[in-house]
Amino acid sequence: MSALKKQLTSTEINKRNLLKKEKPYVYEKIMKYDEKVKRGESIAILQFQYDYTCNFHCEHCCITKLRRKKGERYFTIEDVRELSRQADEMGLAHIVITGGEPLVFPDFDNIVKAIDPQKFYITSDSNGWFLDEKRAKHIKSIGVDKIQLSLDSLSATEHDEFRRKQGSHERAIRAIDASLDAGLNIILATVVTKQRVRSEEFVEFLEFAKKKGVAVFVTYAKPVGDWEGNFDVLVSRDDMDYMRGLEKKYNVFTHLTPSYGLDMGCISVKRMVSITKYGDVMPCPYIHCSLGNFFKEPLKDIIERGLNIRYFGKYIDTCLIAEDRKFIHEYEGKKIMGKPLPVLCSEVFTSEDLIEANQRQLFRP
């Protein structure tokens, strides 16, 4: 079945109806997504790494090597307004504020205002440390729609060790209830390794989320950042098939899971780009190459460049940086790993990797 003919789930229909009521302009943009995808245009979520300040030192941190020396240009609130303007002009509808830990940013409210909640569905990542009842109600009141909360085990000891922060599990659990009480949409973002994917603990984790009435977003382990070269944690295609089986029983999904009627496989560039504090636009948060810099050229031109790379302009049925060992070896291992990040895309991909705009296929044929 064509990706554009899949039926919406009841949950998706309910969320879309709520969006139509609360943010009609955003709803109208999303309703045009099918046609944009047919034309070979990106409908990217902007994963916006506004700053790298963080109160945690997580074991797997993927942005460690994206931090740079002082003196380089970085995002200001005025730049955020311009990013919002360009993204809106492109018909994009969803921005994720991330870092670092967004809730430690002193100008968090100004970031949200500059994005403009009436023009975008706004998600904030969080480790939950500062997300109590008062803060949850406040960020809901200023226009944040969703919290993507990091939780990596039901065991407080295991979670705290993974996040390297004593007491982080207790605060994350508190943040779930605070977000629900405030009327925020909340999902649990959890890292899944080869060792965890088929474990009893993971099933218990999904049962916990089910009882709480919240969805679980699985982030497959990647051999980048502080896990650079750690190939033992990577899942296989069989593991991914097992995960798809869990999706039938639990409200759990990965970035490969079809949503809103669109089966786009790997969503790099076509359904997500990651923008660093310093303006570099990357295919996703884990493929650390720069498609271009927002401070030097329009976002639209940068995303077009990305779609003309076959890995991002064609339908791919796996996660390139989590499972595709050939991609990891040839591109991450040989051309990105060990270099100052992000590496220019022209140093990673050759002319043989390029396609024409009329060769794009952004969804399952």
Side-chain angles (χ1 to χ4, degrees):
M1 180 182 289
S2 168
L4 300 178
K5 294 182 181 179
K6 290 183 178 292
Q7 297 298 311
L8 300 181
T9 66
S10 59
T11 299
E12 289 171 334
I13 291 172
N14 291 337
K15 287 182 178 179
R16 188 170 284 193
N17 288 338
L18 182 62
L19 185 64
K20 183 178 182 180
K21 178 182 178 181
E22 295 185 347
K23 294 190 174 184
Y25 181 70
V26 179
Y27 170 82
E28 291 299 328
K29 287 197 285 188
I30 290 175
M31 291 303 291
K32 297 176 182 178
Y33 274 5
D34 282 8
E35 291 302 318
K36 287 175 69 66
V37 171
K38 286 180 182 178
R39 293 194 299 265
E41 297 177 14
S42 172
I43 55 171
I45 298 168
L46 304 185
Q47 197 252 14
F48 179 37
Q49 301 172 3
Y50 176 76
D51 195 5
Y52 296 129
T53 303
C54 191
N55 59 322
F56 282 19
H57 300 281
C58 303
E59 177 183 315
H60 69 308
C61 183
C62 70
I63 57 90
T64 302
K65 296 185 179 181
L66 292 173
R67 295 184 172 100
R68 297 178 180 169
K69 297 178 181 179
K70 295 180 180 179
E72 293 193 53
R73 181 177 176 181
Y74 54 85
F75 268 93
T76 64
I77 294 299
E78 189 57 40
D79 293 323
V80 178
R81 291 193 188 95
E82 177 60 18
L83 177 65
S84 171
R85 186 194 69 79
Q86 291 190 29
D88 180 47
E89 194 173 77
M90 293 173 64
L92 304 181
H94 189 174
I95 294 179
V96 178
I97 304 170
T98 189
E101 166 55 36
L103 297 190
V104 304
F105 302 164
D107 48 357
F108 181 84
D109 288 17
N110 290 331
I111 299 167
V112 174
K113 184 178 179 180
I115 291 171
D116 192 343
Q118 293 308 307
K119 293 181 179 178
F120 291 92
Y121 189 87
I122 300 176
T123 297
S124 178
D125 285 344
S126 182
N127 57 39
W129 189 265
F130 294 106
L131 192 54
D132 58 15
E133 184 176 348
K134 181 179 178 180
R135 189 70 185 276
K137 289 179 178 178
H138 174 72
I139 64 176
K140 172 67 175 178
S141 73
I142 64 174
V144 174
D145 299 283
K146 179 192 286 187
I147 291 294
Q148 184 164 289
L149 180 74
S150 298
L151 184 66
D152 293 294
S153 177
L154 291 185
S155 164
T157 300
E158 291 180 4
H159 174 86
D160 290 1
E161 287 180 353
F162 186 71
R163 293 287 166 177
R164 293 173 177 165
K165 187 77 169 181
Q166 188 71 28
S168 60
H169 183 272
E170 180 181 357
R171 295 215 183 188
I173 298 298
R174 178 195 65 178
I176 297 173
D177 294 331
S179 297
L180 290 171
D181 290 344
L184 286 162
N185 183 12
I186 180 171
I187 60 174
L188 303 181
T190 195
V191 179
V192 171
T193 62
K194 177 75 173 178
Q195 294 74 25
R196 189 184 185 207
V197 64
R198 298 173 188 262
S199 69
E200 182 178 340
E201 178 275 328
F202 184 56
V203 172
E204 292 174 352
F205 185 95
L206 297 180
E207 288 284 356
F208 166 80
K210 185 177 182 179
K211 291 177 182 178
K212 283 287 186 181
V214 297
V216 174
F217 171 59
V218 165
T219 298
Y220 289 126
K222 318 291 194 307
V224 301
D226 285 344
W227 271 0
E228 183 176 276
N230 186 355
F231 304 118
D232 293 338
V233 296
L234 303 188
V235 297
S236 66
R237 285 202 175 228
D238 285 344
D239 294 329
M240 288 181 167
D241 287 341
Y242 173 78
M243 182 66 67
R244 292 185 182 99
L246 292 177
E247 291 178 26
K248 297 176 182 179
K249 184 176 181 181
Y250 299 100
N251 190 4
V252 58
F253 63 99
T254 73
H255 69 282
L256 298 169
T257 306
S259 62
Y260 291 100
L262 298 171
D263 183 356
M264 303 181 75
C266 172
I267 62 174
S268 295
V269 185
K270 55 181 79 75
R271 188 70 179 100
M272 169 177 277
V273 292
S274 187
I275 303 174
T276 74
K277 173 180 178 177
Y278 303 101
D280 288 296
V281 180
M282 305 186 298
C284 81
Y286 310 102
I287 300 177
H288 294 156
C289 73
S290 176
L291 303 171
N293 191 287
F294 173 75
F295 299 142
K296 298 178 181 179
E297 57 184 323
L299 179 65
K300 182 177 181 180
D301 293 350
I302 297 171
I303 289 181
E304 283 292 302
R305 181 179 298 121
L307 290 174
N308 287 335
I309 297 171
R310 62 187 172 97
Y311 289 105
F312 313 128
K314 290 283 193 179
Y315 177 85
I316 302 290
D317 68 350
T318 190
C319 180
L320 292 167
I321 197 63
E323 186 277 329
D324 190 325
R325 293 303 183 101
K326 182 177 180 181
F327 181 90
I328 293 170
H329 176 72
E330 294 297 325
Y331 295 94
E332 171 64 26
K334 291 184 178 180
K335 299 182 179 183
I336 299 177
M337 192 179 295
K339 296 182 179 180
L341 301 179
V343 179
L344 294 176
C345 67
S346 58
E347 297 178 13
V348 178
F349 302 103
T350 69
S351 59
E352 294 181 354
D353 296 313
L354 304 183
I355 59 173
E356 299 293 333
N358 61 8
Q359 294 177 300
R360 293 176 189 168
Q361 179 66 55
L362 305 188
F363 55 94
R364 182 186 289 275

